[in-house]
Amino acid sequence: MAELTAVLASTHHPFYYKATTSPEEQRPPYAGAWQRKVEAYRATLTAAEPDILVMVGADHFHQLWLDNYPQFLIGQQEVYDATFYNEEREFGIPTFRLDGEVEFSRFMHRELMGADFDFAVSHELKIDHSIICPIITVRPDADLPIVPIYTNIFVPPLPSPKRFYDLGRAIRRVIDAYPTDKKVAAIGTGHLSLELGGPRQFGEHGPDPLFDAAAIEWLSTGNAETILANVTHETMSQAGNATHGFMDLLLMMGIAGEGEHADYVDQLDLFHTREMYMTWYPNRNQQQKEAAERAARVSGASLGPIYAHDPVWDQFREGATA
Amino acid sequence: MSIYFVNKFLYTIDRSPEWVAAYKNDPRGSVDRWEEEVGQWLQPAERTTWLSFTPDEREALATHDYVWLFEHGAHFFLNLTLFIALYDEEYAERSGPLSFQREMADKLSPWLGQEYPSVGL
């Protein structure tokens, strides 16, 4: 059976590529610290030695559109082109060609259907930045075959948070049951509190830092019960109109498992949004443990949960003067 | 109610370099031409017979009025992305990075603390 060697849940930020590859004088002041954290995070995936990547993202109206928008979709192709014209234009992200793992996609589709997740399937899926951003950050060689899974975080009515979590649990069972001797890593990206195209966009911090504090604690402690009791479509909207991407992070937590503490947790206050980089090792070995420790020494990450009472969040609490 | 058609406009313009340039330079003329050449087509040989703009929607698109579009349920991601394509570069040259995005936020600031118009159709 396949061995799931790592689960990565992170925010995705399409500005990263340009911010860190521009000539020195054009780089924004935060680029250096950002790059250090991302490259440290990359080492947590490398230590998992994956052969196949199961990747979770959400098409941002690049291919999927309102004439026919699926709640959940899986790609089933030998090859995937990636990066749309308007992403090159806006973000400067390069194009990619990624190999697919067709047999695994077919198995995943069939098994998820059998578990009552009625997936749409695409045989001509082009990948957008929700999957290319993590390729750039954690596997820039783009040398591993992928099984891409898309979710609807964009077109109301959305599936419930519970549905995302349950889908993550189901994907874990399918990975564990896939007959192969290869190692699999699951990588999914979404958002903490985020505002796009609304009055809170591009502010000094993300739109709701205390939501971010709670979200990072809940995710990094595998606290499904508290998330499902507190997070609804409405509370996510209150935290920022594009916060629903949090549900893809919840899905990844579902793959890791209830109550599973993350092995590597990092975050960065990147003015208008907060970045988060989280890794679980389902069967952590010594090599992975040491890799996470080395990475954390560079990045300042935590080798376990970050709790909402951590002093890092004090500046955002009511009455704070910072 | 034709906010779907408004979204279709934003979506199909944004994915085409030629339409982005046309809509930047001649917004009113582009709206008319788009209805003929793109908007009413489902597929190359399949015409959608019942979609059209209201006068207010047409005017908002013809005047690049993204505040009106936000307030009437245009999808926030489409509304942001296309107007970034139209204005980001000239704003950034004049006033620095993200200055267009910040002006957009300012213009929408009366909505702070309120429930935003739904993007659900």
Side-chain angles (χ1 to χ4, degrees):
Chain A
M1 296 299 131
E3 183 191 352
L4 178 67
T5 56
V7 179
L8 275 70
S10 87
T11 49
H12 70 244
H13 202 312
F15 289 178
Y16 176 79
Y17 180 83
K18 202 170 182 177
T20 55
T21 57
S22 297
E24 195 62 40
E25 67 278 7
Q26 292 172 25
R27 290 190 185 201
Y30 49 82
W34 195 6
Q35 187 167 3
R36 263 195 310 283
K37 281 186 177 287
V38 163
E39 291 181 356
Y41 184 50
R42 182 181 305 159
T44 72
L45 176 67
T46 307
E49 300 180 331
D51 303 305
I52 303 171
L53 304 178
V54 172
M55 303 204 67
V56 176
D59 180 86
H60 296 57
F61 289 138
H62 290 117
Q63 176 171 349
L64 307 180
W65 166 241
L66 296 171
D67 63 349
N68 188 356
Y69 202 93
Q71 300 293 358
F72 298 113
L73 177 142
I74 187 165
Q76 190 182 305
Q77 297 163 212
E78 298 282 353
V79 178
Y80 298 90
D81 290 312
T83 308
F84 288 77
Y85 139 73
N86 49 4
E87 295 174 296
E88 289 187 78
R89 179 194 73 207
E90 186 173 349
F91 308 126
I93 299 175
T95 58
F96 286 84
R97 254 169 72 109
L98 301 171
D99 286 338
E101 187 77 18
V102 170
E103 273 312 311
F104 198 2
S105 280
R106 193 175 287 127
F107 182 82
M108 180 76 76
H109 190 198
R110 193 174 62 229
E111 295 298 310
L112 290 174
M113 293 289 283
D116 292 333
F117 289 93
D118 299 335
F119 263 66
V121 62
S122 176
H123 299 276
E124 193 177 350
L125 183 67
K126 185 165 183 173
I127 298 297
D128 88 346
H129 72 263
S130 65
I131 285 178
I132 283 305
C133 286
I135 290 291
I136 289 169
T137 53
V138 296
R139 196 74 185 190
D141 290 344
D143 58 346
L144 296 178
I146 66 166
V147 174
I149 291 173
Y150 272 159
T151 67
N152 175 17
I153 59 165
F154 243 45
V155 179
L158 309 176
S160 67
K162 181 172 189 304
R163 190 71 172 154
F164 276 77
Y165 175 70
D166 289 345
L167 176 58
R169 297 303 303 141
I171 290 171
R172 172 61 181 272
R173 287 190 287 274
V174 177
I175 294 172
D176 287 345
Y178 184 54
T180 178
D181 55 5
K182 292 180 175 170
K183 293 175 181 169
V184 176
I187 302 172
T189 68
H191 303 292
L192 297 171
S193 70
L194 180 66
E195 178 100 343
L196 294 172
R200 293 173 286 178
Q201 71 176 0
F202 295 99
E204 198 178 332
H205 302 285
D208 192 342
L210 293 181
F211 174 89
D212 301 343
I216 291 174
E217 173 179 324
W218 296 333
L219 293 168
S220 63
T221 55
N223 193 344
E225 187 180 342
T226 301
I227 292 177
L228 297 180
N230 286 277
V231 176
T232 64
H233 296 148
E234 291 69 31
T235 61
M236 285 185 280
S237 293
Q238 288 159 15
N241 67 348
T243 304
H244 303 84
F246 171 73
M247 293 192 290
D248 278 333
L249 305 179
L250 173 59
L251 188 160
M252 299 315 294
M253 192 195 87
I255 296 178
E258 180 157 17
E260 294 294 331
H261 284 201
D263 295 287
Y264 182 94
V265 184
D266 199 11
Q267 52 88 26
L268 174 65
D269 185 12
L270 197 70
F271 68 103
H272 64 106
T273 182
R274 187 168 296 268
E275 291 283 277
M276 184 198 83
Y277 310 117
M278 196 173 291
T279 300
W280 291 263
Y281 292 123
N283 300 292
R284 191 179 65 176
N285 60 30
Q286 190 61 24
Q287 178 188 325
Q288 293 160 354
K289 179 172 180 289
E290 290 172 8
E293 288 168 355
R294 275 195 305 276
R297 279 198 291 276
V298 174
S299 65
S302 168
L303 294 168
I306 297 178
Y307 291 90
H309 60 66
D310 192 287
V312 71
W313 307 107
D314 284 350
Q315 62 172 310
F316 302 110
R317 296 187 214 286
E318 204 168 338
T321 53
Chain B
M1 189 63 184
S2 48
I3 203 68
Y4 167 78
F5 206 43
V6 170
N7 281 331
K8 185 175 182 178
F9 180 88
L10 300 173
Y11 167 72
T12 53
I13 298 287
D14 187 57
R15 69 208 310 229
S16 154
E18 293 77 19
W19 276 109
V20 168
Y23 185 50
K24 167 97 177 154
N25 297 326
D26 177 17
R28 193 171 297 275
S30 296
V31 173
D32 294 341
R33 186 163 69 84
W34 177 88
E35 283 180 279
E36 283 299 313
E37 296 180 12
V38 179
Q40 62 178 321
W41 296 99
L42 177 65
Q43 296 167 2
E46 303 297 334
R47 185 189 294 258
T48 299
T49 60
W50 50 273
L51 285 170
S52 63
F53 295 122
T54 65
D56 287 347
E57 288 165 349
R58 185 187 306 278
E59 188 61 21
L61 291 172
T63 54
H64 290 179
D65 189 350
Y66 58 77
V67 173
W68 190 96
L69 295 171
F70 174 89
E71 292 180 340
H72 291 80
H75 198 284
F76 57 83
F77 190 83
L78 298 168
N79 202 33
L80 173 63
T81 302
L82 179 56
F83 286 100
I84 283 177
L86 300 185
Y87 289 111
D88 179 54
E89 205 172 315
E90 67 187 59
Y91 272 64
E93 275 173 22
R94 197 168 61 225
S95 311
L98 298 176
S99 51
F100 170 72
Q101 289 85 335
R102 292 196 173 111
E103 180 176 296
M104 184 179 198
D106 279 346
K107 288 186 175 175
L108 295 169
S109 61
W111 287 92
L112 283 170
Q114 297 191 60
E115 187 178 341
Y116 303 167
S118 172
V119 298
L121 299 178

